[in-house]
């Protein structure tokens, strides 16, 4: 394990807690689904011998508090947070590598659209960009219903509905047996983010529509990717649509939507492979 350097960054409306480990070109990892930097720790450790790996708790999650009360989250604001963090860790302006998963992949794609000059390559793992799909209205209705279930029946019912609708019953839930005390503490901490994610992130992010023409202009830096166990499922389809749009092969990671948790070592190897293709 590589002990990270821990810092905080004041951004408009929040304070971000971030971690930096390793050396080499900067690689920013953006977590999704109510997670925080701790979820990405095994992957970050595995890549720290090749990259300066940066992880962080997104605003409103875990150790990155908002300045005021909880409020609905905006993709553009979180993309700006990521850009400010890159400016902190790479003040020379050297292009950085970025990986995002799930809702974090939406942020990574928006960061590419808004600040392409700061990025060398972006790997977007199962971004929940359902607006790209031909049945976008049906997909938006599904996520809106999950959010409504949360407000009506609570976190447990909403998470069960979303898991079933996204095919997560295939067994990709992480096995917590044998985890280190640090990782057990991480899972306990991120569970506290569930209500914020369901009430303030999921509806807003799943409804996000990326600027197609601006993304097209920088698609040579984008690697759409998905987990092999997600094939044909709801959260696989947007990445496949991006790959088809740009005529590129879909990057295939081990595991499913949460492969970064269930297969961290293999996941890190695949991420390094995809990044090196752009060098």
């Amino acid at each position: 394990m590589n002990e990270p350097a821990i810092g905080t960054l004041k951004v408009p409306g929040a304070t971000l807690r971030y971690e930096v480990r390793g050396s080499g070109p900067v690689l920013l990892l953006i977590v999704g689904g109510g997670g925080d930097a701790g979820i990405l720790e095994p992957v970050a450790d595995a890549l720290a011998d090749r990259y300066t790996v940066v992880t962080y708790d997104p605003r409103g999650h875990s150790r990155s508090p908002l300045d005021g009360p909880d409020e609905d989250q905006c993709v553009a604001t979180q993309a700006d947070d990521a850009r400010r963090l890159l400016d902190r860790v790479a003040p020379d302006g050297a292009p950085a590598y970025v990986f995002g998963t799930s809702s974090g992949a939406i942020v990574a794609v928006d960061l590419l659209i808004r600040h392409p000059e700061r990025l060398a390559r972006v790997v977007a793992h199962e971004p929940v960009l359902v607006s790209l799909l031909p049945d976008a209205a049906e997909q938006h209705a599904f996520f809106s219903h999950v959010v409504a279930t949360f407000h009506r029946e609570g976190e447990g019912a909403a998470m069960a509905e979303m898991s079933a609708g996204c095919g997560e019953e295939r067994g990709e839930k992480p096995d917590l047996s044998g985890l280190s005390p640090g990782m057990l503490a991480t899972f306990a901490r991120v569970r506290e983010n569930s209500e914020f994610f369901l009430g303030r992130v999921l509806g807003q992010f799943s409804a996000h529509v990326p600027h197609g023409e601006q993304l097209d202009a920088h698609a040579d830096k984008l690697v759409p990717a998905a987990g092999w166990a997600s094939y044909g499922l709801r959260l696989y389809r947007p990445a496949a649509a991006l790959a088809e749009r740009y005529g590129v092969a879909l990057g295939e990671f081990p595991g499913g939507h949460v492969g970064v948790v269930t297969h961290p070592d293999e996941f890190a190897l695949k991420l390094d492979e995809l990044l090196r293709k752009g060098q």
Side-chain angles (χ1 to χ4, degrees):
M1 176 177 176
N2 299 275
E3 288 297 328
I6 298 172
T8 58
L9 175 65
K10 185 70 186 72
V11 295
T15 300
L16 304 181
R17 180 192 183 277
Y18 66 92
E19 301 180 1
V20 181
R21 44 171 61 78
S23 60
V26 170
L27 168 59
L28 177 65
L29 306 180
I30 308 177
V31 73
D36 67 22
I39 292 293
L40 298 170
E41 183 176 295
V43 170
D45 282 340
L47 293 170
D49 61 338
R50 284 155 278 182
Y51 301 92
T52 299
V53 187
V54 183
T55 57
Y56 68 104
D57 298 357
R59 63 167 59 214
H61 292 71
S62 298
R63 302 156 295 188
S64 290
L66 301 177
D67 289 348
D70 289 353
E71 60 184 6
D72 290 352
Q73 293 300 290
C74 173
V75 172
T77 299
Q78 292 208 13
D80 189 60
D81 288 348
R83 190 269 305 169
R84 291 173 185 269
L85 186 52
L86 286 177
D87 289 347
R88 165 67 65 87
V89 300
D92 60 355
Y97 296 103
V98 174
F99 165 82
T101 183
S102 191
S103 57
I106 297 176
V107 176
V109 169
D110 199 60
L111 180 64
L112 175 60
I113 290 172
R114 295 174 182 276
H115 302 285
E117 74 288 348
R118 293 295 281 115
L119 308 180
R121 197 164 178 82
V122 173
V123 177
H125 176 260
E126 300 197 15
V128 193
L129 289 169
V130 294
S131 61
L132 300 175
L133 301 177
D135 57 347
E138 177 183 335
Q139 303 303 321
H140 290 150
F142 167 77
F143 286 107
S144 294
H145 195 275
V146 170
V147 174
T149 297
F150 165 68
H151 289 298
R152 186 178 62 251
E153 301 178 38
E155 171 194 340
M159 292 301 290
E161 180 179 326
M162 184 163 64
S163 294
C166 293
E168 292 181 9
E169 69 276 7
R170 285 188 177 181
E172 281 301 308
K173 293 183 179 180
D175 178 5
L176 303 187
S177 63
L179 288 181
S180 68
M183 285 304 292
L184 287 172
T186 292
F187 279 103
R189 184 176 62 242
V190 300
R191 277 196 292 269
E192 298 299 315
N193 296 329
S194 295
E195 291 192 1
F196 183 81
F197 173 73
L198 289 166
R200 300 294 187 176
V201 178
L202 179 62
Q204 291 73 22
F205 276 51
S206 61
H208 178 70
V209 181
H211 193 295
E213 290 184 1
Q214 291 182 13
L215 183 57
D216 292 349
H218 305 290
D220 59 316
K221 296 183 177 182
L222 177 66
V223 182
W228 63 263
S230 295
Y231 181 79
L233 298 180
R234 189 184 302 271
L235 301 181
Y236 178 96
R237 294 178 60 210
L242 281 170
E244 182 178 3
R245 179 185 181 110
Y246 297 122
V248 298
L250 181 67
E252 187 173 89
F253 278 91
H257 192 66
V258 293
V260 71
V261 173
T262 59
H263 300 71
D265 293 335
E266 302 96 319
F267 204 99
L269 288 173
K270 184 62 180 182
L271 177 55
D272 182 46
E273 174 190 325
L274 292 175
L275 294 175
R276 288 181 182 277
K277 285 183 178 179
Q279 293 180 353

